[in-house]
Amino acid sequence: MKSLSIYSITRKQNTEQLQKLERQLSGRAYFLKVRDWEMNSMRSFVDQLELHMEEVYALRFFYSFTIPRLGKEFDLIQIKEEQIVNIELKSGEVTEEAIRKQLLQNRYYLAPLGRTIRSYTYISSQDRLVRLTNHDRIVEADWEQLCRDLLNESQDYEGEIEDLFAAELYLISPLTEAARFLNKEYFLTSQQRDIERQILKIIRTDHKGYCWFTGFPGTGKTLLLYDIAMKLSDRQRVAIIHCGEAGQEWKTLHERLRRIDYVTDNEITEEKLSSYSAILVDEAHLLLPEKLECLQQAGTRCPVIFSSDCEDMISQEERKQNVAEDLVHLPDIQVFHLTNRIRTNAEVSSFILNMMHLPGRRGLRPYPHVEVVYANDEREAENFRKDYLRQGYRPPQENEERLVVVMDDRYYYDEKGYLRSELRDVRKLFHQLSRAKEELALVVKENETVYAVLLNLLQGRK
């Protein structure tokens, strides 16, 4: 999306013409739904600017921009080489705290661009202009000062605004970035906030029962779960259960969390859980059935919140325990689904989902950030692996920008198009692959059939 002249789109014209004009000037891929109150506020804003400066028509802003995959929207952003001016438009009265909160959040999302940030809000019904100070206070703003900011002599950014924002910069991991999490140096996406509001409302009303949210790796489930835990722990004792091979890493984080206790899945017993006012379960898809029974019992007296990966594209036979079917049958369980993948490149994500289940291929497309090579033996596979490591790829760890994985002859596709394994470890492979943030390399060793399928997938062929 390109910047445009807000002078041009505030000239009097009907809504249909305005939408066509906006799309033409911004290069947006769709027609923007123009809201009357916002356009009226922007007209008032432009009228005020014309009282204080010449050539308002020459100003360029990115209008109604939403950061991809995050759902974070800005009304007006002027981006120059040295500076950013963010202006939010309000039609009716709004509290200073609400203005402050929004501008602080905006500044957080704009900070990675590495420029000085000037933050303003204009309330058209009051003809009032306010700004956010460097000390995070809201004060009355001076129009002359705003005009000086807008006329900063550095060059306007003329590229596509989407190129400036890497969504994964804004999704932190409580495990790997504990300091940022504990200092609350993060914001949830609009979808995460909506799910959190609904869950907290259910808890306030019922004080017990079950909630469950799912999503593919990279949708921010763990961050959401811990944010909910932090809110619940203000006045009560809370337990977080992390299933799987978390080990000492999770304990290190919990040493710094004073009101949240860490419980391993091996420690789950009715007696152990009886002292908590809320229980939150991460990686619930790894639960054993007998542990789920204890959690079901706990839900009769306090809220139990489950978070799990979506494994729809993995064959039923490859799932060692089908805990999802048991979860969905818990009494009155409230289910939510996170869909916006933040941490993972959408292209890499599409490839992984399609390779897991061929009939379910989602939007066949080119995959320039995925490579597949073939090794005839162990020596060739090791040479390929070393070469990728030399290029900056990494083996599966926590989360990697560039990931290299070796697939041997244990893998095959069944008659339904599911990727299978003689050792039934496709589930583990899926979670390893999903750690790739930006690029993925697969070394297929001594498995020509799977190699041929993956090559066809890379060519966009079924």
Side-chain angles (χ1 to χ4, degrees):
M1 191 179 96
K2 299 178 294 185
S3 61
L4 51 74
S5 163
I6 60 171
Y7 181 88
S8 64
I9 63 172
T10 52
R11 300 308 91 195
K12 189 174 181 179
Q13 55 195 296
N14 65 46
T15 301
E16 182 181 355
Q17 291 172 330
L18 176 58
Q19 288 178 325
K20 291 178 179 177
L21 174 65
E22 193 283 332
R23 186 180 181 188
Q24 169 206 325
L25 296 178
S26 68
R28 204 184 299 267
Y30 56 90
F31 287 108
L32 181 69
K33 184 178 181 180
V34 179
R35 296 165 289 196
D36 289 341
W37 69 263
E38 188 173 67
M39 189 52 60
N40 290 335
S41 293
M42 189 149 58
R43 289 190 179 110
S44 298
F45 176 70
V46 171
D47 289 344
Q48 283 296 328
L49 284 179
E50 288 193 291
L51 296 176
H52 296 87
M53 66 179 289
E54 299 179 359
E55 299 183 349
V56 175
Y57 53 82
L59 296 175
R60 293 294 184 272
F61 293 87
F62 292 95
Y63 166 54
S64 192
F65 168 66
T66 300
I67 300 178
R69 293 183 279 167
L70 289 180
K72 173 58 190 170
E73 183 179 0
F74 301 86
D75 288 344
L76 295 172
I77 315 176
Q78 182 199 62
I79 302 179
K80 290 178 174 285
E81 287 182 353
E82 300 175 357
Q83 176 184 275
I84 295 172
V85 179
N86 169 222
I87 302 165
E88 293 299 314
L89 303 171
K90 307 294 180 185
S91 60
E93 187 174 348
V94 61
T95 67
E96 288 195 1
E97 181 55 29
I99 292 173
R100 176 179 175 275
K101 184 177 180 180
Q102 182 182 35
L103 293 182
L104 281 172
Q105 187 179 80
N106 289 4
R107 190 168 69 188
Y108 165 81
Y109 283 105
L110 294 169
L113 275 62
R115 297 162 168 86
T116 301
I117 300 169
R118 312 293 186 192
S119 304
Y120 293 86
T121 295
Y122 175 66
I123 306 102
S124 58
S125 62
Q126 302 172 325
D127 194 19
R128 183 186 178 203
L129 183 70
V130 298
R131 66 180 177 87
L132 181 69
T133 70
N134 291 334
H135 300 291
D136 300 342
R137 294 173 51 240
I138 295 296
V139 298
E140 298 298 318
D142 182 270
W143 283 95
E144 280 71 22
Q145 180 181 359
L146 171 60
C147 292
R148 287 195 297 272
D149 287 340
L150 293 174
L151 293 174
N152 181 286
E153 293 183 358
S154 63
Q155 275 302 108
D156 281 303
Y157 172 72
E158 297 181 353
E160 303 279 342
I161 189 171
E162 290 85 355
D163 294 341
L164 297 176
F165 291 87
E168 59 272 9
L169 293 174
Y170 305 99
L171 179 65
I172 73 164
S173 165
L175 172 59
T176 59
E177 299 171 277
R180 288 184 64 191
F181 173 75
L182 294 168
N183 292 331
K184 297 184 178 180
E185 296 176 8
Y186 66 91
F187 290 97
L188 301 180
T189 68
S190 57
Q191 188 182 45
Q192 288 171 320
R193 292 196 302 272
D194 181 59
I195 291 175
E196 182 177 78
R197 278 194 297 267
Q198 294 183 64
I199 290 175
L200 293 177
K201 182 179 179 181
I202 291 168
I203 292 173
R204 285 194 298 269
T205 302
D206 299 336
H207 307 291
K208 61 181 180 179
Y210 316 95
C211 293
W212 176 29
F213 56 87
T214 70
F216 290 117
T219 50
K221 299 183 299 299
T222 299
L223 178 61
L224 173 57
L225 192 76
Y226 269 80
D227 194 72
I228 293 173
M230 293 290 279
K231 288 180 170 61
L232 292 177
S233 66
D234 281 343
R235 299 179 181 177
Q236 54 192 341
R237 193 175 176 204
V238 169
I240 281 192
I241 299 168
H242 188 88
C243 304
E245 302 173 359
Q248 189 61 38
E249 292 178 323
W250 285 102
K251 290 183 179 180
T252 301
L253 169 65
H254 279 267
E255 286 174 358
R256 302 177 62 181
L257 292 173
R258 297 186 180 277
R259 299 183 302 275
I260 301 174
D261 290 347
Y262 170 79
V263 179
T264 69
D265 49 354
N266 293 327
E267 296 174 315
I268 296 175
T269 63
E270 290 185 24
E271 181 181 1
K272 177 74 173 178
L273 301 180
S274 63
S275 60
Y276 297 106
S277 299
I279 300 166
L280 300 94
V281 186
D282 196 19
E283 308 263 16
H285 52 281
L286 300 177
L287 276 171
L288 296 174
E290 58 269 24
K291 301 301 183 182
L292 181 58
E293 290 180 12
C294 293
L295 291 164
Q296 180 174 355
Q297 182 62 34
T300 62
R301 62 166 186 82
C302 75
V304 180
I305 304 167
F306 299 95
S307 167
S308 72
D309 281 351
C310 177
E311 297 182 335
D312 293 344
M313 76 303 302
I314 299 174
S315 71
Q316 186 66 43
E317 294 81 2
E318 290 282 342
R319 304 180 204 175
K320 296 177 181 177
Q321 288 88 27
N322 193 10
V323 175
E325 288 189 4
D326 296 327
L327 280 174
V328 80
H329 289 110
L330 289 177
D332 300 318
I333 188 167
Q334 302 294 312
V335 182
F336 307 91
H337 189 62
L338 281 162
T339 57
N340 297 328
R341 302 195 70 163
I342 306 166
R343 189 187 67 228
T344 306
N345 181 309
E347 166 212 322
V348 175
S349 171
S350 172
F351 177 84
I352 294 168
L353 297 184
N354 286 329
M355 73 171 280
M356 287 288 147
H357 188 205
L358 301 176
R361 293 182 181 183
R362 301 153 179 82
L364 289 174
R365 55 189 290 180
Y367 299 106
H369 295 91
V370 179
E371 293 185 8
V372 178
V373 295
Y374 188 74
N376 290 283
D377 52 38
E378 181 64 34
R379 183 184 64 82
E380 290 183 3
E382 181 60 16
N383 286 340
F384 279 124
R385 195 183 74 86
K386 287 180 179 178
D387 185 48
Y388 279 114
L389 294 177
R390 181 188 60 80
Q391 296 176 53
Y393 287 75
R394 293 292 179 264
Q397 300 296 331
E398 174 57 27
N399 294 304
E400 299 292 349
E401 297 290 335
R402 311 171 80 195
L403 188 71
V404 56
V405 176
V406 178
M407 293 179 63
D408 59 22
D409 59 358
R410 82 186 76 169
Y411 297 100
Y412 64 95
Y413 283 95
D414 66 15
E415 66 279 0
K416 296 180 181 179
Y418 284 104
L419 183 66
R420 300 285 304 280
S421 165
E422 294 174 1
L423 300 181
R424 290 195 175 183
D425 58 357
V426 167
R427 190 184 194 194
K428 180 178 180 181
L429 174 68
F430 168 67
H431 293 291
Q432 287 180 336
L433 296 177
S434 296
R435 290 171 178 164
K437 291 183 180 180
E438 291 298 331
E439 295 185 78
L440 174 64
L442 291 173
V443 179
V444 182
K445 185 184 73 171
E446 301 177 83
N447 194 333
E448 292 187 23
T449 303
V450 167
Y451 177 61
V453 172
L454 297 181
L455 277 186
N456 282 339
L457 187 55
L458 285 177
Q459 302 301 312
R461 292 169 55 190
K462 295 186 178 181

